[in-house]
Amino acid sequence: MKSLINKNRLRLLPSLMALCMLLLSGNIFAQDSTAAETTPQVEKPKPVKNTFESIWILNNQTVFVPQKKSLEVDIMHRFGTVNNGYEDFWGFFAPSNIRLGVNYAPINRLNLGVGITKLNMLLDGNLKYALITQTPGKYPVSVSYYANMAYDTRKDPDGGIFKYNSQRFSFFHEILIARKIDDRLSVQGGISLSHQNSVDGYYINGKDDTTKVLFKEMKFDHFAFSLSGRLKVTDVTSLLFDYDQPITRHPANNPSPNLSIGFEFYTGGHSFQFFIGNYQFMSPQRDNLSNTNSPFTYTDKATGKKVDGGQFLIGFNITRLWNY
């Protein structure tokens, strides 16, 4: 009888050991699960927002591209220069220039736009693509590419202005690099290429119907760089500046640099910029190629002529952004 009892106990021993192992393993798994649940999740860095409030910073574009399905309307105005004083009320009553524009972002990172300008009835189409967006720990700056194509729509039935239709076209390309230093300060730099299909000069027609160039006043391509910045004074008010410096030196008609300083007032989708500067065309290629208003006096090294400074004008930009 004793031997039978001992045998039964021995038979129960493996079952008890298996049960203990099962309980222990369940406790271990539960501890692992709890540890996994309490492990903090590492959040991915998010791109910096609101480097600029508008696609414009006075006379220049910014790296800013509105989010997908955003529609923006632009109204831009440049008065005459202030040099005549009270005679034309510091340019307010002088001949002015106006541009109307519409922009739309069909997809993220891409903005498309069209516009028309009063001077020369210049029709333009443009695009901007955000290549890189400033992201902590990943990208220290934002980089965007901007391109513009303009077409001079003035009537010329006698061909006195344009011999060929291709002469009406001009083009502009720019790489913009910006960094939001902190919540108040943002800075931006850009390098641009402007191209004109036609330049004035002296030409003669050969016997074989070819054209020989005797002298060209300007080159077809023009390089320049720009510096811009924004300093927030309050949540809705910012101090803006931009400076544009020509790089290419032409045989004649060298364009002058531009210096603009002003304020921006922003209230949720609506931006109003009021400033004083030198550019008047509101077409980037025309401003870079044809600006004759200089902020300071200098001597043109190509021609030796003195260029008078202080030729400023007052302007404003109004933009309205809708998100759908």
Side-chain angles (χ1 to χ4, degrees), residues 78-81 275-280 293 311-315:
R78 303 292 182 271
F79 296 97
T81 57
F275 56 92
I276 187 168
N278 306 107
Y279 278 168
Q280 64 173 328
N293 300 323
Q311 301 172 21
F312 289 93
L313 54 86
I314 295 173

Side-chain angles (χ1 to χ4, degrees), residues 207-261:
K207 295 181 180 180
D208 55 352
D209 202 27
T210 59
T211 301
K212 182 179 180 181
V213 179
L214 298 181
F215 175 76
K216 289 191 301 183
E217 294 183 355
M218 298 185 72
K219 300 177 181 179
F220 289 101
D221 295 321
H222 175 85
F223 287 92
F225 72 84
S226 65
L227 294 174
S228 307
R230 181 195 71 166
L231 178 64
K232 295 194 72 173
V233 181
T234 68
D235 290 340
V236 297
T237 306
S238 298
L239 176 65
L240 306 178
F241 84 92
D242 68 32
Y243 178 76
D244 299 88
Q245 176 62 47
I247 298 175
T248 302
R249 184 176 298 176
H250 302 270
N253 298 336
N254 279 288
S256 295
N258 164 71
L259 174 64
S260 301
I261 300 174

Side-chain angles (χ1 to χ4, degrees), residues 3 5 13 15 20 41 66 94 105 195 205 213 218 230 287 299:
S3 59
I5 294 174
L13 186 59
S15 300
C20 290
Q41 297 293 326
H195 176 84
N205 293 323
V213 179
M218 298 185 72
R230 181 195 71 166
D287 277 327
T299 300

Side-chain angles (χ1 to χ4, degrees), residues 71-100:
L71 176 69
E72 181 174 278
V73 175
D74 303 334
I75 302 174
M76 309 168 70
H77 195 107
R78 303 292 182 271
F79 296 97
T81 57
V82 301
N83 300 75
N84 291 331
Y86 184 78
E87 184 178 339
D88 56 14
F89 206 71
W90 292 272
F92 280 100
F93 297 154
S96 61
N97 194 17
I98 302 170
R99 181 182 182 273
L100 305 175

Side-chain angles (χ1 to χ4, degrees), residues 146-162:
Y146 175 77
N148 180 295
M149 180 181 72
Y151 183 78
D152 192 323
T153 65
R154 285 179 292 173
K155 294 181 179 181
D156 184 31
D158 301 327
I161 304 175
F162 307 107

